[in-house]
Amino acid sequence: MLLNRLSRIALLGLLMLAGCRAPWDAGKAAQAKADAEAVMHSLQGPDMLRYRSLTLPPEQQAALARDWTAIRRKVALDASEQETFNKLLTRFIEPRAEAHLQRDLNAKIKPLKSEIDSKWPLMQSSLTLLLQGWIETNGQLSVSEKAHGKALVKAIIEQMPAEWLQDKDFRQRAFNQMVAIARDSGIQSYQDYNSLDYTQFHSKLAHFLAGLKELGLIYGLDWNAGQKRLQVTVIAQSGNTAQVRIRYPLGQKWVEFPMDLIEHNGHWYDASAAALLQSTLAAR
């Protein structure tokens, strides 16, 4: 008897919650789809200042720009992490970095050749988990940015043949591009990186992403071409909240991830980016 009453109460609660949800609004859903598409299109340039303006409501974007120095101080790496950053950066900007990187990887790959040949699928899975784990622990990325990054990594590594790692010509071209990205940034240390102002940071970030796209082209992965087949589907919409599913092809695989949106004055923004900024501003 008691169990039946509890079941009825639980069912009534669920019905009340369902009744509180605002009905689907076709106009709002269409705007959410258009605004999510605009976010993705801003990455084609890439234009990271525009990207930021499309992911954050105007008031929050203004707060981010205004409090930029304080925010960068809050999210700064500790001394040990800064040292690691500087050591890694040095590897890519030192004289003859391209040759040194190839030399060091050659020494590591030769003893592993038979293992790479026999256990490549397992190594792909391990590399995917490693990179996805690094993305997930990056506190400067929003939930949707993490989801995008992890989906991107999965799509790339799943179609990555062992030859990409074993072929010296591929490796050299890749190292040349990585070194060019690092040197062209003009950043010499973590201190340089963390002292960039709001505009400089987004300019450098655009440069970095454009360089990564060039790196992808070495392996036949054309990110911008994939955007011509971009698919954005609104899978939920209620009141001022919505969720879209974003899909686009990269090479032989599809990149797919969700993005939660929040409406502000008739436009839709990345809800997780807004939440991340709010928590960062509140942190001491």
Side-chain angles (χ1 to χ4, degrees), residues 234-270:
V234 181
I235 57 179
Q237 185 278 313
S238 177
N240 70 337
T241 63
Q243 185 180 70
V244 296
R245 180 179 64 243
I246 296 175
R247 298 182 75 237
Y248 63 88
L250 185 66
Q252 302 302 312
K253 296 289 183 177
W254 283 79
V255 177
E256 180 175 328
F257 65 99
M259 178 185 289
D260 290 327
L261 302 175
I262 187 166
E263 185 188 24
H264 180 80
N265 289 340
H267 285 282
W268 295 82
Y269 303 89
D270 179 358

Side-chain angles (χ1 to χ4, degrees), residues 167-224:
D167 188 284
K168 288 184 66 175
D169 179 60
F170 267 137
R171 290 204 308 267
Q172 194 60 66
R173 291 166 62 195
F175 282 139
N176 291 348
Q177 177 59 19
M178 292 177 192
V179 169
I181 294 171
R183 287 179 179 159
D184 292 347
S185 73
I187 296 172
Q188 300 291 313
S189 67
Y190 180 78
Q191 290 67 31
D192 289 345
Y193 165 73
N194 211 44
S195 64
L196 296 171
D197 66 27
Y198 181 78
T199 301
Q200 290 170 334
F201 177 88
H202 287 87
S203 175
K204 299 291 185 185
L205 181 57
H207 161 83
F208 178 72
L209 293 178
L212 289 183
K213 289 182 186 182
E214 291 295 321
L215 179 61
L217 290 175
I218 293 173
Y219 298 98
L221 301 178
D222 191 334
W223 193 90
N224 280 357

Side-chain angles (χ1 to χ4, degrees), residues 24 28 42 75-76 78 158 164 200 208 224 271:
W24 176 279
K28 287 190 174 186
S42 71
V75 301
D78 62 30
E158 280 186 350
W164 286 8
Q200 290 170 334
F208 178 72
N224 280 357

Side-chain angles (χ1 to χ4, degrees), residues 125-137:
S125 297
S126 297
L127 183 57
T128 298
L129 291 174
L130 176 66
L131 293 178
Q132 287 184 331
W134 178 80
I135 291 170
E136 183 60 36
T137 58

Side-chain angles (χ1 to χ4, degrees), residues 20-245:
C20 291
R21 288 184 62 81
W24 176 279
D25 185 312
K28 287 190 174 186
Q31 187 63 51
K33 171 180 165 66
D35 289 342
E37 288 174 344
V39 169
M40 295 303 297
H41 291 157
S42 71
L43 295 174
Q44 291 184 31
D47 185 340
M48 300 313 295
L49 284 172
R50 176 166 172 74
Y51 170 83
R52 192 59 61 205
S53 72
L54 294 172
T55 55
L56 288 173
E59 293 84 353
Q60 284 196 304
Q61 185 195 354
L64 176 62
R66 182 186 64 245
D67 298 335
W68 181 255
T69 301
I71 290 172
R72 296 302 296 167
R73 192 182 305 119
K74 287 181 180 181
V75 301
L77 300 178
D78 62 30
S80 175
E81 292 169 328
Q82 290 184 32
E83 183 179 357
T84 301
F85 180 100
N86 287 335
K87 286 180 178 178
L88 182 60
L89 178 61
T90 299
R91 292 296 314 278
F92 286 90
I93 63 175
E94 66 181 355
R96 304 193 68 243
E98 303 92 333
H100 294 165
L101 290 165
Q102 178 76 286
R103 175 201 63 201
D104 294 345
L105 190 57
N106 284 345
K108 293 178 180 179
I109 284 181
K110 285 181 181 179
L112 296 175
K113 186 179 185 311
S114 61
E115 189 171 358
I116 292 174
D117 290 337
S118 62
K119 299 180 180 179
W120 183 241
L122 179 61
M123 297 178 77
Q124 285 175 291
S125 297
S126 297
L127 183 57
T128 298
L129 291 174
L130 176 66
L131 293 178
Q132 287 184 331
W134 178 80
I135 291 170
E136 183 60 36
T137 58
N138 190 325
Q140 297 181 47
L141 297 176
S142 70
V143 170
S144 64
E145 288 169 339
K146 289 179 181 180
H148 187 187
K150 290 190 288 187
L152 194 57
V153 162
K154 184 174 184 290
I156 292 172
I157 297 178
E158 280 186 350
Q159 62 186 302
M160 175 181 176
E163 288 73 23
W164 286 8
L165 186 61
Q166 294 174 314
D167 188 284
K168 288 184 66 175
D169 179 60
F170 267 137
R171 290 204 308 267
Q172 194 60 66
R173 291 166 62 195
F175 282 139
N176 291 348
Q177 177 59 19
M178 292 177 192
V179 169
I181 294 171
R183 287 179 179 159
D184 292 347
S185 73
I187 296 172
Q188 300 291 313
S189 67
Y190 180 78
Q191 290 67 31
D192 289 345
Y193 165 73
N194 211 44
S195 64
L196 296 171
D197 66 27
Y198 181 78
T199 301
Q200 290 170 334
F201 177 88
H202 287 87
S203 175
K204 299 291 185 185
L205 181 57
H207 161 83
F208 178 72
L209 293 178
L212 289 183
K213 289 182 186 182
E214 291 295 321
L215 179 61
L217 290 175
I218 293 173
Y219 298 98
L221 301 178
D222 191 334
W223 193 90
N224 280 357
Q227 291 302 291
K228 294 178 181 179
R229 296 169 61 190
L230 175 70
Q231 299 176 3
V232 177
T233 305
V234 181
I235 57 179
Q237 185 278 313
S238 177
N240 70 337
T241 63
Q243 185 180 70
V244 296
R245 180 179 64 243

